[in-house]
Each structure stands twice: as C-alpha cells, then as structure tokens.
Amino acid sequence: MFQDLLAGPARHSSRPSPGPDDDPHDRGHRRPWHRRDHRHLQRHSRRPAAAAADTPTPAGLVRIYTDAPPNRFRFSVADYLALQAEQTHFEQVAGYTDRLMSFSDGNVAERLRGKLVSWTYFSLLGLRPAIGRDFAEADGRPGNPLAVIVVARVLASAPWLGRLDAIGKPIRIDGADHIVVGVLPSDGRPAREQGAGLFIAAQWQPPRRKGPFFITTLARLRSESERSAAADELRAINRRMFPIWRSSHQDDKATWSFIDFEAASSPATSS
C-alpha cells in the first residue's frame, strides 16, 4: 500500500526466493507536513501507527516496469534516466531502492534501513518534511553535496536529529558526509520496527551498461485521458533504447509498461 513507500521493506532472509519481479541480472542486490516548528514535529511524532496508515494514495499514481512476461522487472539507472529525460505524459516520475545504511557520529555507529530516492520522491507522493525542506533538483546532481532527510528519533545515539538545529548539519552515512535538509515525523513506534529511517537523494550518473535493475519506478499521470498515450510512449522509448544497450541487454521482446499503484501493491502482483 501507499504507506509502504515510507515504511521500507519488511524483515526477510538475506537470500530471498526468486519472485515474479526478481531481476535475473541482479540476484545479489537486496530490494531490496510543513510548519517549521519543533513543537509541531513533536506533536506529529506522537501519533499512533494507525494514523500513518490513513495517508491517501495520490490520484494517478502508477508503477512503471520492464514487462517480460511472466516477470515484471525493476528499472536500471539507464532506464530511469531515459524515462526522466524523454517522457511527456506523466506529471512527475520518481524512483527508489531500499538498502541498509551505517550511521556514525564519531563515537557511536548504528546500522538501519533506509532508501536511496530520486529528488522527486516526496514531491510525487505529496509529502513534505515537518522541519527543513524537501529535496531539490540540485540534490540529485552528481558532484553536489549529499543530502539526507531523516525520520525523527530514528537514531538512539543522535536524538538531536529530531530538532530544528539539525538542519544543515552533516551526518556520516556509509563513510560519507551527508547534509541534513529535512526531518520527517516518527509515528512513535521504535524506529527499527517502522522501516526506513533515512532517505538519501540519489545522484545517479549515466552508466556504462544496462544493468543492474534495482530501481522501483513510480509516476503520476497528468490526466486519465493520457493513459493510452503514456503507454504508447513508454514502449517507444524502450524501442529507441534497445540498440544503444544491446551489448548488455539482449531481450528484444521485453518492453515498458505500467500498472496502477494500488494494483501493483496487491498480493498477486507485488514484488
């Protein structure tokens, strides 16, 4: 469901069984609010878990995937960058991948789940941090300072991350400095049981090969009247890409398609 996009992946074994959305080229890759007021954040942080689940799914939200029946594969960086540059029928596109992250403040280290997301991720979902700002386009440009949005109280060793003065401060994730640009409210449960606690703005660069395929891709249709045209355009972009990446991806029968997000989240079709 929609809230799962914030919650992150459920606990699972380190070697999951292949499913209909598994990427055969990437078996080893794990899939895997806005007042600037500290009291406002604290009030939302104490909301019960059930309140978070009531977040409505934005209208027109779909998941885009590579269709190779019976499989639905996630996108590669090459796919995502081409979609972002060439599509014209979606109001916005976004991508994310789940991963484990290591946080350190120089004295204490913690390991927790997070998401690497496109800078458009929260905007697409209609969400804004309670403190600070959303990601901006500059955050997604390779070479710029790495940006992170944190969930309040996610790190027991750094409770200051839920305060206003956390904005603009660097924190160390996976050995690299990241600037805190925003804080999302926690629903009050222990952070490690909630799911993703850190959201890093991805800086995806043009790759040398088509794979690996690890980006879950979402988009929002401009209008329902553009649904058919959007589907045709996706297939056309995929056809134009095939000769460019033929050396690393030979499946000329696979194409791009999309499914309504709610349908993609049902037990019969989910990843």
Side-chain angles (χ1 to χ4, degrees):
M1 300 301 290
F2 173 61
Q3 190 62 26
D4 294 336
L5 295 176
L6 295 180
R11 294 181 182 273
H12 53 75
S13 67
S14 60
R15 298 178 62 87
S17 300
D21 283 357
D22 282 338
D23 173 14
H25 303 282
D26 188 29
R27 294 294 190 209
H29 188 98
R30 291 189 67 179
R31 278 211 266 232
W33 312 293
H34 181 61
R35 283 174 54 197
R36 300 173 188 272
D37 187 323
H38 184 211
R39 289 172 298 175
H40 177 73
L41 175 61
Q42 288 179 320
R43 185 166 64 251
H44 283 275
S45 296
R46 290 193 293 267
R47 285 180 176 174
D54 293 335
T55 306
T57 301
L61 188 65
V62 300
R63 175 186 168 188
I64 303 175
Y65 58 91
T66 296
D67 191 15
N71 300 304
R72 292 173 179 161
F73 297 136
R74 291 165 291 172
F75 269 22
S76 66
V77 171
D79 293 328
Y80 183 81
L81 293 180
L83 172 70
Q84 185 181 51
E86 298 184 35
Q87 70 83 21
T88 62
H89 292 285
F90 295 102
E91 183 176 346
Q92 200 168 43
V93 298
Y96 72 90
T97 184
D98 302 305
R99 58 182 256 196
L100 289 174
M101 301 177 182
S102 297
F103 163 84
S104 175
D105 64 357
N107 298 307
V108 179
E110 293 192 46
R111 193 156 174 81
L112 68 161
R113 289 175 288 177
K115 288 182 184 288
L116 189 66
V117 305
S118 66
W119 70 271
T120 54
Y121 182 77
F122 290 109
S123 177
L124 175 76
L125 300 179
L127 302 175
R128 300 182 70 183
I131 292 177
R133 64 169 176 84
D134 191 3
F135 292 130
E137 186 175 4
D139 297 321
R141 293 177 191 154
N144 281 351
L146 299 173
V148 61
I149 290 177
V150 304
V151 175
R153 301 188 301 185
V154 70
L155 295 164
S157 62
W160 59 271
L161 281 174
R163 302 198 302 258
L164 180 61
D165 58 2
I167 303 302
K169 299 268 182 75
I171 61 174
R172 201 151 185 84
I173 303 172
D174 293 336
D177 284 338
H178 293 66
I179 303 301
V180 177
V181 301
V183 180
L184 294 171
S186 165
D187 67 7
R189 289 178 294 162
R192 296 182 186 279
E193 301 302 321
Q194 294 174 35
L198 300 172
F199 295 84
I200 295 176
Q203 296 185 352
W204 290 316
Q205 303 187 55
R208 296 182 178 181
R209 59 187 296 268
K210 182 72 180 285
F213 302 81
F214 61 93
I215 302 173
T216 299
T217 303
L218 306 175
R220 187 170 60 239
L221 285 162
R222 292 186 186 278
S223 70
E224 280 299 311
S225 63
E226 297 189 56
R227 182 174 288 267
S228 178
D232 291 342
E233 183 177 63
L234 287 179
R235 290 189 288 268
I237 296 173
N238 179 69
R239 283 195 300 271
R240 289 196 295 271
M241 286 185 63
F242 182 74
I244 301 173
W245 302 103
R246 188 190 299 269
S247 63
S248 58
H249 186 73
Q250 292 84 34
D251 188 356
D252 60 353
K253 298 293 191 297
T255 188
W256 289 358
S257 188
F258 66 84
I259 186 172
D260 288 338
F261 178 75
E262 293 292 349
S265 302
S266 68
T269 58
S270 61
S271 300

